[in-house]
């Protein structure tokens, strides 16, 4: 038996081709949501009241699995629904971790 054939006998066997790659893709990489203090919530509330459409902001928000950053001009601030519309993305006020006017 040649060396190449013998080496092939001991090569790792993947019965379900692509299974390992699928496991890596579906691995949970979510992070827990941070709880804001009363002071932080109060500061955010003050900022929300000052925002208006057209303001350019940088916003860090929790998207359900991780924190995301977005920068852009505000499309709308809906105080009744407590939603911020930024770059065609609706972000609930209670998911915003930090927001800064640029």
């Amino acid at each position: 038996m040649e060396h190449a054939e013998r080496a092939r006998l001991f090569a790792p066997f993947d019965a379900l081709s692509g299974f390992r790659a699928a496991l890596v893709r579906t691995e949970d990489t979510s992070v827990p949501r941070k709880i804001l203090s009363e002071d932080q919530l109060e500061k955010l509330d003050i900022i929300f009241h000052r925002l208006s459409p057209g303001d350019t902001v940088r916003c860090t928000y929790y998207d359900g699995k991780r924190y995301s950053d977005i920068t852009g001009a505000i499309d709308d601030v809906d105080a009744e629904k407590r939603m911020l519309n930024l770059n065609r993305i609706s972000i609930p006020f209670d998911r915003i971790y930090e927001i800064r006017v640029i």
Side-chain angles (χ1 to χ4, degrees), residues 16-58:
L16 301 172
S17 63
F19 182 69
R20 290 180 199 270
L23 282 177
V24 170
R25 282 194 307 270
T26 60
E27 190 174 292
D28 185 18
T29 57
S30 61
V31 296
R33 188 171 170 185
K34 299 173 186 175
I35 297 175
L36 299 176
S37 69
E38 289 296 322
D39 290 338
Q40 291 171 310
L41 290 171
E42 189 175 317
K43 287 178 185 177
L44 283 176
D45 194 48
I46 291 168
I47 293 171
F48 293 146
H49 283 85
R50 293 181 181 167
L51 294 176
S52 59
D55 290 347
T56 302
V57 296
R58 179 180 172 98

Side-chain angles (χ1 to χ4, degrees), residues 63-75:
D63 68 7
K65 289 190 174 191
R66 67 191 60 82
Y67 284 89
S68 299
D69 290 316
I70 186 169
T71 303
I74 294 174
D75 299 321

